[in-house]
Amino acid sequence: MSTWQLQEAKSRFSEVVKLALSEGPQGITVRGEDVAVLVSRAEYTRLTHPKPGFVGFMRGSPWVGLELDTERQTSLTREMVL
């Protein structure tokens, strides 16, 4: 992420916006402290778009409707190959 001093970012605002579109987020500092980040609209939408919960994620799975064998063995021991 490139970093810009506020005064320089103000005077070269068009360039900072174009860099945010092409190269990603652009940091802005005031007196050496990071105070802001300029991101493209697409990046902002990606970051703020609500993600589906677990149930929504599972419902959107390509394996919806697939029958799984969920039967468990009830014996106390099982054979293992070592």
Side-chain angles (χ1 to χ4, degrees):
M1 173 169 74
S2 298
T3 304
W4 301 78
Q5 292 178 353
L6 180 61
Q7 291 300 328
E8 187 178 3
K10 285 173 27 179
S11 65
R12 298 171 62 186
F13 186 69
S14 294
E15 182 181 350
V16 176
V17 170
K18 288 177 186 174
L19 287 171
L21 289 170
S22 64
E23 295 181 13
Q26 302 293 306
I28 299 175
T29 63
V30 174
R31 296 183 200 100
E33 278 191 55
D34 294 330
V35 295
V37 176
L38 179 68
V39 295
S40 67
R41 179 64 170 190
E43 181 70 7
Y44 175 77
T45 302
R46 185 186 71 78
L47 291 171
T48 60
H49 186 70
K51 295 179 176 78
F54 182 72
V55 173
F57 172 76
M58 294 304 286
R59 286 183 179 158
S61 169
W63 295 307
V64 169
L66 180 68
E67 293 294 324
L68 299 175
D69 180 17
T70 58
E71 189 174 318
R72 296 181 60 152
Q73 290 185 355
T74 57
S75 64
L76 297 177
T77 61
R78 61 179 180 225
E79 290 186 27
M80 294 183 67
V81 178
L82 297 175

